[in-house]
Amino acid sequence: MSSTATEDSQAKLLRATYDVGKTAIYAAKVDPRFHYCLYVPPQIGPETELVVCVHGTSRTSFLDFRDGFAEFGRWKNCVILCPVFPIGPLGDGARSGYKYMQEGEIRYDRVLLGMVEEVAAKYGRQWDKFAMFGFSGGGHFTHRFAILHPLKLWAACIGASGSVTLLDADRDWWVGIRNLKEVFGIAFDREALAEVPVQMLVGDADLETWEITHKPGGTYWMEGANDAGRTRPERMDALRKSFEAAGVKVRFDLVPGVAHSRMLVIDRVQDFLAGLLHQKRGA
């Protein structure tokens, strides 16, 4: 066998081992402080869609989501992208920067979009739009990403966000969106957001408040920080009402008997996304 043939054979073996199925973890070219892993179905074609799943504060759920969505990705012909936003990328041990989209010079929405571009180029696709699911801290990220970039999404599934940004033009970010243009250089596009199918999920037993109650002096304290409600179900319901008032159609799943458990809601997320995929591909 020639050296060229041997190299080709090794390249195919490496790709099959690390780039297909449940992949290795990669540093993002857009900013190597951040990483991602994937589930990639055996064959990728024009109908292959992208679903982004965003972890919570513990960061461990990125692997739960990759593995938990693997069967869905295989049989629904989707690539699953799970970003990893580590604690303390600025060296300060901060846990929650990604949830609010901006931390120092880091714009997490741009990092995610860079990951999407990188993965699309690697697998020969162009995903102008993708679906996004996030739970807990990932729910923070998902609904704020939808507010900033509705034109990038064909679905947004928002799970159990501990704090919510309401579409309130009388309050500043992050409680409201009055100064969105000043903070992010992005004007709020109400019409585009209204075109995004949205699912919101939270367990009716998800009632712990110790981690989600903002207090004066806290990093993300501001007036109105706790006004959306005391518990996650109350805050998610406030987010639902805010989105619906802006013309967004929301499927709201208050899951009976479930506390703060990501793995007990992903079947509902997959059901929602499967229905949308059927509509997209049928059209």
Side-chain angles (χ1 to χ4, degrees), residues 2 18 50 63 79 84 95 111 186 195 207 222 269:
S2 69
Y18 298 111
L50 177 68
L63 284 175
V79 169
V84 186
R95 296 181 178 88
V111 173
I186 297 172
E195 293 297 317
L207 303 176
M222 59 186 297
V269 174

Side-chain angles (χ1 to χ4, degrees), residues 9 11-12 19 88 90-91 97 112 144 152 161 167-168 170 205 222:
S9 177
K12 289 178 181 178
D19 296 342
L90 298 179
L112 189 278
R144 295 189 178 109
K152 290 292 184 181
S161 181
L167 305 179
D168 187 342
D170 295 322
M222 59 186 297

Side-chain angles (χ1 to χ4, degrees), residues 146-168:
I147 291 169
L148 291 173
H149 300 285
L151 291 172
K152 290 292 184 181
L153 297 174
W154 57 261
C157 303
I158 303 157
S161 181
S163 295
V164 294
T165 296
L166 303 183
L167 305 179
D168 187 342

Side-chain angles (χ1 to χ4, degrees), residues 16 81 89 91 166 190 210 224 234 249:
L81 166 61
L166 303 183
R190 183 182 302 269
W210 65 271
E234 290 174 0
K249 184 177 180 180

Side-chain angles (χ1 to χ4, degrees), residues 45-66:
E47 286 199 341
T48 305
E49 298 285 353
L50 177 68
V51 178
V52 176
C53 297
V54 186
H55 60 69
T57 309
S58 70
R59 275 70 176 176
T60 57
S61 60
F62 79 94
L63 284 175
D64 290 339
F65 291 159
R66 184 199 64 179

Side-chain angles (χ1 to χ4, degrees), residues 169-230:
D170 295 322
R171 298 192 182 194
D172 285 342
W173 186 268
W174 58 267
V175 170
I177 60 170
R178 175 169 54 192
N179 61 338
L180 199 69
K181 183 75 172 178
E182 290 87 343
V183 175
F184 294 103
I186 297 172
F188 176 56
D189 191 337
R190 183 182 302 269
E191 291 74 20
L193 183 61
E195 293 297 317
V196 179
V198 172
Q199 179 187 38
M200 298 183 184
L201 311 95
V202 65
D204 68 358
D206 194 348
L207 303 176
E208 294 286 350
T209 62
W210 65 271
E211 192 176 13
I212 67 172
T213 302
H214 295 275
K215 299 177 181 179
T219 302
Y220 295 101
W221 165 257
M222 59 186 297
E223 289 297 327
N226 299 308
D227 287 359
R230 189 177 67 88

Side-chain angles (χ1 to χ4, degrees), residues 58-119:
S58 70
R59 275 70 176 176
T60 57
S61 60
F62 79 94
L63 284 175
D64 290 339
F65 291 159
R66 184 199 64 179
D67 296 352
F69 274 81
E71 186 174 351
F72 177 89
R74 179 178 178 86
W75 299 113
K76 297 300 181 182
N77 192 16
C78 293
V79 169
I80 311 300
L81 166 61
C82 299
V84 186
F85 302 123
I87 289 174
L90 298 179
D92 56 4
R95 296 181 178 88
S96 297
Y98 80 102
K99 302 175 189 176
Y100 296 88
M101 288 293 154
Q102 186 164 313
E103 184 176 20
E105 90 287 358
I106 302 168
R107 279 280 300 274
Y108 286 95
D109 56 329
R110 292 175 178 167
V111 173
L112 189 278
L113 290 170
M115 291 179 181
V116 170
E117 290 182 6
E118 178 179 339
V119 172

